[in-house]
Amino acid sequence: NYIHRLLAARDGSLWIGTDSGLTHYKDGVWTTWTEKNGLSDDDIEALAEGRDGSLWIGTDQGLDRMLNGRVDVWHTASGLPNEHVTALAVDWSGLLWVATHGGLASFDGSRLTSYPGVQKPAGSALSALGIAANGAGWTASTDGQLSRVADGILSPVPVHLPANDVDAMLFDRDG
């Protein structure tokens, strides 16, 4: 197995996204979910915890939400720009942000919205997504482009990174 993502949940448990499914560790018990349990795919690319305790799961084949043992799945027919979900982030208001190979989307709990003005740079894919403490949204792409997201518009930030493929972001208290 290849581990793509780790998520330390608010309840103290650990979620592990791998290329062979999703594993949960809590109170000494390991539990694994796969497509056989309702996930859209076994290749787990991204994880985020919702304010309501839901677990958001980004796979190569869609966006999944696990809540109270139930799995719901969203695809391009549901409004995703692309089914390959690469990164997830929940902002201060509880809005879920979804980075895909085809661009950016958000989910407010009932409706999935794609942002046509926030598309992937030509020849690359959105690879990382984050919400800073000051509320600013940021994306990175596989060509090393760092961009700020505001009002549905992606604004590139001139930066020279040591590597092109950015997989994660971490923010300090100031954003």
Side-chain angles (χ1 to χ4, degrees):
N1 285 353
Y2 180 80
I3 296 174
H4 291 288
R5 295 289 179 256
L6 298 173
L7 175 70
R10 287 188 294 269
D11 68 2
S13 66
L14 178 65
W15 292 95
I16 305 165
T18 75
D19 59 357
S20 300
L22 177 68
T23 298
H24 185 233
Y25 179 74
K26 183 174 183 179
D27 300 327
V29 177
W30 294 92
T31 308
T32 298
W33 286 268
T34 65
E35 285 183 80
K36 292 177 184 175
N37 305 106
L39 297 180
S40 60
D41 192 58
D42 288 343
D43 195 2
I44 311 301
E45 296 284 331
L47 298 170
E49 186 174 15
R51 290 180 134 189
D52 62 356
S54 59
L55 178 69
W56 289 97
I57 307 155
T59 77
D60 284 352
Q61 299 298 315
L63 173 66
D64 304 350
R65 177 180 58 192
M66 186 182 294
L67 181 61
N68 300 322
R70 177 181 164 173
V71 178
D72 296 305
V73 178
W74 287 264
H75 297 285
T76 52
S78 312
L80 276 179
N82 184 284
E83 290 186 352
H84 190 151
V85 176
T86 55
L88 299 168
V90 178
D91 72 14
W92 59 271
S93 71
L95 189 67
L96 175 73
W97 291 91
V98 184
T100 75
H101 271 206
L104 190 66
S106 67
F107 186 74
D108 65 5
S110 60
R111 187 175 49 135
L112 189 62
T113 303
S114 289
Y115 294 89
V118 184
Q119 297 301 318
K120 66 182 178 112
S124 70
L126 296 179
S127 56
L129 173 63
I131 308 298
N134 64 8
W138 293 88
T139 67
S141 61
T142 55
D143 66 352
Q145 179 62 60
L146 182 64
S147 300
R148 184 175 170 148
V149 181
D151 301 321
I153 298 172
L154 196 69
S155 302
V157 175
V159 63
H160 297 286
L161 300 173
N164 282 344
D165 197 0
V166 177
D167 288 327
M169 294 185 199
L170 181 65
F171 299 95
D172 65 16
R173 291 185 239 278
D174 298 325

